Amino acid sequence: MTVTERPADPLEPAPPELAGDDLRELWEDAPGLVGFFTTVDHKRIGIRYIYTAFVFFSLAGVSALAMRAQLASPNSGLISPGTYNGLMTMHGTTMIFLFNTPVLAGFGNFLLPLMLGARDMAFPRLNAFSYWVFLFGGMFMYSSFVVGHLPDGGWFGYVPLTSSTYSPGHNIDVWGLGIIFVGLSTTVGAINFIVSTFKLRAPGMTVNRLPVFVWSMLVFSFMVLFAVPAVTLAEVLLELDRLAGTAFFVPSLGGNVLLYQHLFWFWGHPEVYILFVPSIGMVSTIIPVMSRRRIAGYLWVVASLVAIGFISFGVWVHHMFATGLPPLAISLFSAVSLVIALPSGVQFFAWIATMWRGKVELAVPMLFCLGFLLIFLLGGITGVMVAVMPFDWQVHDSYFVVAHFHYVLNGAVVFPIFAAIWFWFPKMTGRALPERWGKVSFWVMFIGFNITFFPMHILGFLGMPRRVYTYNDGLGWNGLNVIVSVGSAIFGLGTLFTLAAVLIAARRKVPVPDDPWAADTLEWATTSPPPVYNFAAIPFVEGRHPLWDVERLRRARPGAEADVGLEVDGAVGRSTPVTSGIDTLPEGVLHIPAETWVPFLVALGLVTLLVAALVSALTVAVLGLGLAVGAATTWAWRTEADLR
Amino acid sequence: MTVVDLPLARSSERTRTTAWWGVAMVILTEGTVFAILLAAYFFLRAASKDWPPPGVKLPDLKTAVPASFLLWGSSLPIFAVEAAARRGRWGVVRAGLLVSWLMGATFVASTLKDFQALHFGWRDNAYGSIFYTIVGLHAMHLVVGLTMSLVVQAKSWLGRYSPARHASLEVFSLYWHFVDLVWLAVFPSLFLSVRWR
Amino acid sequence: MSAALLGSTSVFQGAGSEGRRIVGLWWLMFAMGAAVYVVVAGLVLTAVVRGRRRARPAADSPTADDRFIWIGGLAVPVVILAVLAVVTVTTTSNLRPVRAGELAIEVTGRRWWWDIRYPDQGIRTANELHVPVGRPLDLVLTSADVVHSFWVPALAGKVDMVTGQVNHLRVTVDRPGTYRGECAEFCGLEHARMQMLVIADPPDVFERWMARVRSGAGTTPEDEMAARGALVFQREPCGGCHTVEGTPAKGTRGPELTYFGGRRTIAAATIPNDPKELAAWIRDPQDVKRGAEMPPNGMSAEDLDALVAYLESMR
């Protein structure tokens, strides 16, 4: 690609072809509630994903605190066994399906187009659709809470416990169908991330200039495409057994209960990394900014992300070491489970190397990143330990494993998410968070986290099994359980400080500069919050760190008007350029569809169908199906026009 | 003028629309669904002493084989349709789509008829469950494909396509080839491999 | 409950051939893990402290960065993981070997108790696993309903009890004692109350126990109270689910009750076995263990006392 005309003086202001106001008129959503339901703006959807996920996070947190209250003393009768099992099931299910995955999808949604220099995702309507499906799926799963029968088969719902023989109620159906439904949302989102990254990168953003966070979302998305089908099928077959009377998991009819475990963990282990990969993508974005230098070993960081993506599909059997599989098979999986530590090691030392030669600033996002490093290190070490199968035979399904996976799933995912909130909140809202509240929040969370989860390792060695609603007095577990319960309350309190900070920011309305951290990626090139169209002119990327490499790009925001940017073949209206996958040569433009009711209606139709089918309300089911199909057909019919 | 102007000679090579890429990704994940289901089939089979269980009569090949060739053959007109669409020969497009639709529909009808003739139900045993699930899921994909074809055919009759822009036709073609390919894996696994032992 | 009624649950006991090796493995891994943690966390903190003191970032040095990443993130971990791989293979190959003279014991997981059979000796018991010290055991594990997991932390790693599948756990108990066993796979409402005692005795003590159980001695009521209790047992629906050898009670849905009086605990190691607790249990099992499948019994106080006396007399 040749640049025919370069600005003589980059600082000289000049009116662009289309001023910000005209663009705004083209892009703005309808006001009020109509706009709320019809928007396809990736930023609104992304933020919506994040706060919805945090509502579910608080539900999961409350259930965790309730469980810890019950376990604070032996033989406690505070919570009935049935309720405890329900809380335990919904805590795990919520954290994995309704918090971690969607909150990462939310950040991906908000950030990806901005980082790519695009004006929206490749499929904006599909994006809205995946949010509505997630919201309805989550509400559907919690609807069993309202009628008093929580799903109580454990978050991995092993058969035959979850078969209709041992769990006759509809609560398991709600759980299984909910997982299938939420999986649809995740898959649709992943496809959107992949195609956006392939086709909507700003000219010049070649493969080796892709921000690490974008790489991580790409790996996340491909993992989703290959892993989610397994859990969807596990639940589909389970529901067929339960509702249609098939025999997949009925041993007396030739079925096999381990088939369910294989299917579940073929998704379940990659899922751990599906959550972890975007989290480390965030950390790899924040640490260099806070160290005022490029990330060390970009190539190795990216390579290890990709390697994690591949290797994670070869380790699922380490969740099944105790099921009596042949020794040779489990030795193989044991070896692969050890090998997956290597890319994480590379990643870790890249972060240390980055800080080693940098100028480190301990702002709140950086504190959360450091907390993540110290927690993930321990979780990684215990992860290597449980890959050693004789040791796993002892600690598997004990509190040691509960400690381990909270270090990696809570510590190494939730801490980066909090770092991300503190880092990108100013960009999302244009307002400053009160720094002091953040520091308090971090320290209380960090201390509370370790008080909660570290003693669990010891409880595991003392023989405390997972998922017990109570335990006998005199086993030597009492003291540690008190400490754990107190710690969980401290951890919960710590998260409230961040919530308070957000509320304070909402009230005080302290404005922030567009690029408060002096960061390198393109989202900081536009205003805070970004205008609906993201960029007045499409940025032209000349390096891996656009804003550090090309100082003048800093003024590509509409306030100062673009002085470096592209007019891409008519991409001036409600459209964004499409570029070729490898070298990002412009290929054409993608018209961004206007706001529409269609995604909301399709999702609404589908969830209606789901609920009606479950309560056998045939008419309503047909209405739901009709709504979904009807809306989807309009969607398909209009597609051609939008692709022109 | 400080906005950088770039020469945007549109590449003469055929570029794929975002919709094409999107469906390609759908195919990736759907292909995984079928791969996992077939893996489950062989897992259940390996874990069972007898496969199929004693007393179960295997599905008949007399109609299944010709029907399968009909399905695989239905991809051929689609190749012609794709080429014709790029040249703007809409008569060929309409005819090809119709022929392919009829071939696919015949296959679906024959599958449903075969289901009625089977000597086992899907509740009888795990063999029946997985057989019906895989064949049924594939048939559902075909029904979706046939529906897409109807939309595409309607668009081609209404003249909504141009040689440069016919994304939904491209997307449908890709999907239809995929559904045919899946049967290339399903048919030998479910109908033939049980006979070799 | 007192310590003797609870049994030890600590992995560190290492009282079995398997458990002992795993404890050794743990301490090796602990030493390595702790060293890695201290060194790497030290590097993190040093990097932060150094980085904070700087006025501006140091000059970029991609070669230095790469060397650091390759050595710290790849070379050193490869060595550590290789050591672990070797240790894993050697430990695993030494675990669970088939040995001559094994005592086979079938343990079947039920919701929420343990059904125990000694197939070669033809005896059945529940929730208390008597084993001889020093003799290799072949525990034959399966489930009658949902998936359970057999875990006695002091003796060995766990093995799942999978529906429709038989698994083996081969272990030799090294030291006499009472060890607590637990269900380690979530199995529904009373998963927490599915525990057991493993009573490991010197061979002669074990043989005496075995001989007595096989003889059937002491199961016929001797005093009047117990005799009346036996009648109550037969009159009430107890025999539909429970077995007492030498009587018409042949039910298999619930735990075997022959020699019940010799057991230390009730309801899968939930409460101690004494007359008061037993009476409360029989009257309303769900008050003790919510999910217990045994129905409440509304018999008269006299009948209940007699029944308790009968059950406790069989020892």
Side-chain angles (χ1 to χ4, degrees):
Chain A
M1 181 171 11
T2 49
V3 176
T4 48
E5 189 190 335
R6 280 193 168 273
D9 176 7
L11 295 177
E12 180 197 330
E17 301 264 292
L18 207 60
D21 285 346
D22 303 331
L23 274 172
R24 187 175 298 280
E25 210 167 285
L26 261 173
W27 282 78
E28 212 150 46
D29 288 325
L33 266 185
V34 176
F36 180 83
F37 286 111
T38 59
T39 185
V40 295
D41 180 354
H42 73 98
K43 298 176 291 300
R44 283 184 84 175
I45 295 169
I47 292 171
R48 198 174 276 182
Y49 253 113
I50 294 169
Y51 65 68
T52 311
F54 265 93
V55 171
F56 288 118
F57 178 70
S58 60
L59 290 172
V62 169
S63 56
L65 291 174
M67 288 191 286
R68 282 320 311 176
Q70 160 74 9
L71 290 177
S73 58
N75 298 321
S76 168
L78 196 63
I79 295 175
S80 76
T83 307
Y84 182 94
N85 292 342
L87 291 174
M88 172 268 284
T89 301
M90 285 311 284
H91 171 76
T93 305
T94 305
M95 284 303 288
I96 298 287
F97 292 96
L98 304 179
F99 173 66
N100 276 345
T101 316
V103 82
L104 294 170
F107 276 102
N109 250 311
F110 182 87
L111 291 173
L112 201 84
L114 287 166
M115 282 188 171
L116 295 177
R119 283 167 172 168
D120 208 315
M121 299 277 272
F123 308 110
R125 289 174 298 187
L126 216 47
N127 205 20
F129 173 71
S130 72
Y131 169 76
W132 294 116
V133 168
F134 153 60
L135 176 69
F136 292 149
M139 285 165 63
F140 176 69
M141 278 169 126
Y142 268 89
S143 68
S144 69
F145 195 57
V146 180
V147 296
H149 297 288
L150 285 168
D152 53 4
W155 88 269
F156 40 76
Y158 274 3
V159 290
L161 177 62
T162 46
S163 69
S164 47
T165 316
Y166 299 104
S167 302
H170 272 324
N171 50 348
I172 299 292
D173 299 317
V174 167
W175 178 83
L177 295 173
I179 285 178
I180 297 169
F181 206 60
V182 174
L184 172 70
S185 157
T186 314
T187 303
V188 166
I191 292 171
N192 219 340
F193 289 132
I194 292 173
V195 179
S196 303
T197 308
F198 277 9
K199 301 306 289 178
L200 300 191
R201 306 202 303 275
M205 189 178 281
T206 52
V207 173
N208 63 342
R209 290 173 181 169
L210 216 50
V212 178
F213 180 72
V214 175
W215 271 111
S216 73
M217 286 310 292
L218 196 60
V219 173
F220 162 93
S221 303
F222 273 106
M223 290 175 73
V224 163
L225 291 192
F226 291 115
V228 168
V231 73
T232 303
L233 279 175
E235 306 316 331
V236 166
L237 302 189
L238 173 68
E239 288 305 324
L240 284 175
D241 268 13
R242 290 178 60 87
L243 301 174
T246 53
F248 291 103
F249 308 126
V250 184
S252 60
L253 293 176
N256 192 300
V257 301
L258 287 190
L259 173 62
Y260 181 90
Q261 299 192 11
H262 280 294
L263 289 174
F264 189 88
W265 292 117
F266 186 78
W267 161 82
H269 202 86
E271 173 68 11
V272 173
Y273 290 95
I274 286 173
L275 303 177
F276 179 59
V277 161
S279 307
I280 57 181
M282 291 167 168
V283 172
S284 294
T285 308
I286 297 170
I287 285 184
V289 172
M290 294 294 166
S291 304
R292 303 270 164 266
R293 60 163 302 210
R294 290 145 210 266
I295 189 159
Y298 171 86
L299 181 63
W300 313 123
V301 168
V302 171
S304 59
L305 284 175
V306 176
I308 286 173
F310 276 101
I311 303 172
S312 68
F313 282 90
V315 299
W316 82 91
V317 169
H318 75 216
H319 296 266
M320 298 169 65
F321 279 166
T323 55
L325 293 172
L328 189 68
I330 55 178
S331 300
L332 192 72
F333 282 98
S334 190
V336 181
S337 306
L338 290 175
V339 167
I340 201 164
L342 293 176
S344 310
V346 167
Q347 190 82 59
F348 208 96
F349 275 78
W351 292 322
I352 299 179
T354 306
M355 295 186 295
W356 198 260
R357 306 177 71 83
K359 187 219 167 322
V360 175
E361 250 169 67
L362 288 184
V364 179
M366 187 60 167
L367 283 177
F368 275 104
C369 286
L370 291 175
F372 153 81
L373 290 178
L374 296 179
I375 289 170
F376 170 59
L377 182 57
L378 187 60
I381 290 171
T382 55
V384 170
M385 290 175 177
V386 293
V388 172
M389 70 190 146
F391 181 69
D392 184 68
W393 284 338
Q394 268 294 13
V395 296
H396 179 69
D397 276 338
S398 78
Y399 259 77
F400 185 91
V401 163
V402 179
H404 159 69
F405 71 70
H406 279 95
Y407 266 81
V408 288
L409 278 179
N410 187 343
V413 179
V414 173
F415 275 71
I417 288 169
F418 272 74
I421 286 174
W422 282 87
F423 190 70
W424 279 294
F425 185 88
K427 175 51 64 185
M428 292 177 171
T429 61
R431 289 172 194 173
L433 284 169
E435 184 87 2
R436 199 177 301 161
W437 286 77
K439 289 195 167 149
V440 174
S441 180
F442 165 74
W443 283 109
V444 177
M445 277 174 75
F446 184 73
I447 292 166
F449 178 91
N450 285 294
I451 297 177
T452 308
F453 296 108
F454 192 82
M456 286 189 182
H457 293 108
I458 305 167
L459 278 170
F461 283 126
L462 295 183
M464 182 160 164
R466 217 177 143 175
R467 300 165 156 179
V468 289
Y469 71 84
T470 192
Y471 49 91
N472 278 80
D473 195 5
L475 291 167
W477 304 346
N478 301 7
L480 287 170
N481 271 304
V482 171
I483 295 174
V484 169
S485 294
V486 170
S488 67
I490 298 174
F491 182 69
L493 182 71
T495 62
L496 290 183
F497 282 104
T498 290
L499 176 68
V502 170
L503 296 177
I504 290 170
R507 266 186 59 131
R508 282 198 199 146
K509 299 186 170 54
V510 180
V512 281
D514 293 341
D515 185 7
W517 311 111
D520 58 334
T521 37
L522 282 176
E523 76 270 28
W524 305 104
T526 183
T527 52
S528 298
V532 273
Y533 46 85
N534 290 356
F535 303 97
I538 300 303
F540 176 54
V541 178
E542 291 181 278
R544 195 174 284 159
H545 311 273
L547 300 202
W548 290 347
D549 298 336
V550 190
E551 187 62 25
R552 54 212 152 88
L553 203 62
R554 291 175 168 280
R555 286 169 299 276
R557 52 188 180 262
E561 297 314 343
D563 56 11
V564 172
L566 297 176
E567 290 282 301
V568 181
D569 194 17
V572 286
R574 209 181 149 87
S575 62
T576 195
V578 177
T579 54
S580 58
I582 304 294
D583 42 16
T584 61
L585 285 170
E587 282 181 354
V589 294
L590 179 72
H591 287 269
I592 303 299
E595 68 256 50
T596 163
W597 283 90
V598 166
F600 174 75
L601 292 178
V602 177
L604 187 67
L606 286 178
V607 77
T608 311
L609 173 67
L610 203 63
V611 175
L614 202 57
V615 298
S616 313
L618 198 64
T619 334
V620 184
V622 169
L623 280 176
L625 185 68
L627 181 61
V629 170
T633 310
T634 1
W635 193 340
W637 193 256
R638 288 210 208 130
T639 298
E640 207 72 19
D642 297 328
L643 291 174
R644 284 185 187 190
Chain B
M1 175 68 205
T2 48
V3 170
V4 180
D5 268 322
L6 292 169
L8 286 166
R10 194 187 292 276
S11 165
S12 56
E13 285 169 44
R14 194 149 60 100
T15 55
R16 300 294 191 187
T17 57
T18 48
W20 187 91
W21 280 104
V23 172
M25 294 304 128
V26 171
I27 286 174
L28 217 53
T29 193
E30 291 275 292
T32 311
V33 168
F34 280 102
I36 292 172
L37 271 176
L38 287 177
Y41 174 85
F42 286 106
F43 180 88
L44 286 171
R45 181 170 162 177
S48 303
K49 264 212 298 286
D50 300 299
W51 193 267
V56 168
K57 261 177 82 183
L58 289 174
D60 196 18
L61 287 184
K62 246 179 268 153
T63 50
V65 170
S68 300
F69 278 98
L70 202 60
L71 177 64
W72 293 322
S74 72
S75 262
L76 297 177
I78 299 295
F79 286 119
V81 164
E82 287 176 286
R86 284 195 293 278
R87 286 193 220 98
R89 296 170 58 189
W90 303 113
V92 179
V93 168
R94 286 169 205 148
L97 285 171
L98 186 65
V99 171
S100 158
W101 191 89
L102 290 173
M103 291 166 91
T106 313
F107 176 86
V108 174
S110 126
T111 304
L112 293 179
K113 210 167 143 272
D114 278 0
F115 270 9
Q116 287 177 333
L118 286 176
H119 293 277
F120 52 90
W122 75 334
R123 294 176 183 169
D124 294 358
N125 45 49
Y127 170 77
S129 303
I130 190 91
F131 181 90
Y132 276 93
T133 302
I134 296 178
V135 177
L137 185 69
H138 181 257
M140 274 167 61
H141 277 73
L142 278 171
V143 171
V144 170
L146 291 173
T147 316
M148 283 169 73
S149 174
L150 287 180
V151 174
V152 169
Q153 291 187 51
K155 281 189 171 181
S156 76
W157 283 96
L158 292 174
R160 287 174 67 107
Y161 290 136
S162 72
R165 281 157 192 152
H166 46 270
S168 56
L169 193 153
E170 278 184 355
V171 160
F172 159 72
S173 310
L174 182 65
Y175 183 80
W176 191 258
H177 293 321
F178 161 70
V179 180
D180 281 0
L181 268 175
V182 167
W183 192 246
L184 215 48
V186 169
F187 182 71
S189 307
L190 263 57
F191 289 80
L192 303 181
S193 76
V194 268
R195 289 181 154 77
W196 307 325
R197 46 173 59 216
Chain C
M1 288 198 282
S2 71
L5 293 183
L6 287 164
S8 166
T9 54
S10 171
V11 166
F12 296 122
Q13 282 266 325
S17 54
E18 316 297 287
R20 199 182 58 237
R21 279 180 193 280
I22 295 171
V23 175
L25 180 63
W26 153 249
W27 287 118
L28 173 75
M29 291 200 300
F30 174 73
M32 289 164 71
V36 169
Y37 193 90
V38 168
V39 170
V40 178
L43 285 172
V44 170
L45 296 178
T46 313
V48 173
V49 171
R50 275 167 49 117
R52 280 193 83 189
R53 290 212 196 101
R54 270 203 201 97
R56 65 180 63 82
D60 263 352
S61 171
T63 15
D65 286 346
D66 286 357
R67 201 186 310 128
F68 185 75
I69 294 170
W70 280 92
I71 293 174
L74 212 53
V76 177
V78 162
V79 174
I80 295 173
L81 294 178
V83 172
L84 276 182
V86 171
V87 174
T88 307
V89 171
T90 51
T91 314
T92 310
S93 60
N94 283 320
L95 287 179
R96 303 181 179 178
V98 181
R99 290 203 182 88
E102 280 173 346
L103 172 66
I105 308 174
E106 295 172 1
V107 185
T108 305
R110 309 283 299 251
R111 303 216 299 171
W112 288 272
W113 57 282
W114 314 79
D115 196 0
I116 299 167
R117 287 166 205 267
Y118 297 74
D120 299 332
Q121 288 74 21
I123 59 174
R124 181 171 174 241
T125 180
N127 298 332
E128 276 185 17
L129 183 62
H130 285 263
V131 296
V133 168
R135 180 168 170 194
L137 306 173
D138 175 17
L139 299 168
V140 185
L141 308 172
T142 190
S143 165
D145 38 51
V146 305
V147 178
H148 302 279
S149 188
F150 180 94
W151 186 31
V152 188
L155 300 181
K158 59 187 67 62
V159 173
D160 289 353
M161 308 169 111
V162 182
T163 321
Q165 179 180 323
V166 174
N167 286 336
H168 293 263
L169 172 60
R170 294 193 161 84
V171 64
T172 308
V173 182
D174 295 338
R175 289 199 307 272
T178 305
Y179 309 106
R180 196 173 183 81
E182 301 165 322
C183 177
E185 187 58 79
F186 181 65
C187 55
L189 196 58
E190 288 294 348
H191 166 59
R193 294 301 197 195
M194 184 171 166
Q195 311 222 324
M196 70 192 296
L197 293 183
V198 177
I199 295 158
D201 288 318
D204 53 324
V205 179
F206 173 76
E207 290 302 335
R208 272 207 301 282
W209 172 82
M210 179 70 82
R212 179 160 178 87
V213 172
R214 291 183 76 179
S215 71
T219 55
T220 11
E222 278 165 13
D223 60 60
E224 195 188 328
M225 186 80 156
R228 180 175 168 194
L231 290 176
V232 173
F233 188 85
Q234 299 305 332
R235 187 192 71 214
E236 297 287 327
C238 312
C241 297
H242 297 287
T243 298
V244 174
E245 288 298 335
T247 76
K250 292 277 179 246
T252 52
R253 228 183 123 189
E256 160 96 17
L257 293 182
T258 325
Y259 292 103
F260 177 84
R263 300 207 192 129
R264 300 179 191 182
T265 62
I266 310 175
T270 302
I271 47 173
N273 183 6
D274 62 43
K276 205 168 135 255
E277 299 274 11
L278 179 60
W281 168 258
I282 294 173
R283 194 166 282 291
D284 188 3
Q286 282 72 38
D287 192 43
V288 178
K289 186 166 164 179
R290 184 74 60 94
E293 291 191 0
M294 180 164 141
N297 292 284
M299 63 188 81
S300 70
E302 294 78 28
D303 281 357
L304 184 59
D305 287 346
L307 183 58
V308 168
Y310 168 57
L311 290 171
E312 299 289 13
S313 74
M314 292 187 286
R315 53 175 71 225

